[in-house]
Amino acid sequence: MSVGFDHMALDEIQKRGIRVGYTPDVLTDATAELTVALLLATARRLPEGVEEVKNGGWSSWKPLWLCGYGLSGSTVGIIGLGRIGLAIARRLMPFGVKRLLYTGRAAKAHAAEVNGEFVPLDTLVSESDFIVVSCSLSPETQGLCDKPFFSKMKSTAVFINSSRGAVVNQDDLYEALSSGQIAAAGLDVTTPEPLPTNHPLLTLKNCVVLPHIGSATYSTRGVMSALVARNLLGGLRGTEMPSELTF
């Protein structure tokens, strides 16, 4: 019951001739919404603000207290402008984003809809105020966001990952966040999942971690469940599955 399949032993499945149904497309909007929410919560320090209200830290007004970073006039870089990446871009542009950069295997025709500029990864990393990772996990993207990656980011930049945890080297991310090399990070995916409660990332105020809830709306999970059931029935009957993974 997911769009991702990196958790499956595909070689063995293929060898045994097992059919696999999955749930692409139906969770695009929910995941894009969550990604935008995570970006805003991280950039504008919402979890810190909630905590300050609860612990009595909210006192008299101070000019720079809980200041964060806004989207208006910014440059946003999206790594992987596929279905979800494009849906994220569509939702971010009305905030007044000045430039939308993206990178991937090849330029995308649909990028014109959001005035997307296809650039090399190094350009995206060094010029973006916000970096959103929405690529699939592959041998090429495993550990893509590592120490050299973070070292090229602006010190005021915000990093968001809602794709797969293994795209990020979490030790390198911790170092970048704790040293002030980058401003903040928001993660909806981690390695492992669940993330141990004593993980160093959870000690940082400038790191917002969610429990992989990208598709967690009642309507989306309902549609996913129905699709899984239809896939299962197709498999049992030896007929077509609505969404079957092709090898």
Side-chain angles (χ1 to χ4, degrees), residues 98-145:
K98 189 176 181 182
R99 294 177 70 204
L100 192 290
L101 312 179
Y102 74 99
T103 190
R105 294 190 193 93
K108 305 271 190 178
H110 59 232
E113 182 188 331
V114 290
N115 296 318
E117 302 173 40
F118 184 62
V119 296
L121 180 63
D122 282 356
T123 302
L124 182 147
V125 173
S126 62
E127 295 185 11
S128 296
D129 300 301
F130 300 88
I131 294 177
V132 180
V133 182
S134 62
C135 58
S136 57
L137 181 62
S138 67
E140 296 77 41
T141 61
Q142 176 114 17
L144 175 72
C145 305

Side-chain angles (χ1 to χ4, degrees), residues 16-41:
R16 296 180 184 219
I18 298 170
R19 297 174 67 189
V20 178
Y22 69 132
T23 60
D25 302 318
V26 297
L27 46 70
T28 298
D29 288 336
T31 304
E33 286 174 9
L34 189 279
T35 305
V36 172
L38 178 58
L39 185 152
L40 292 169

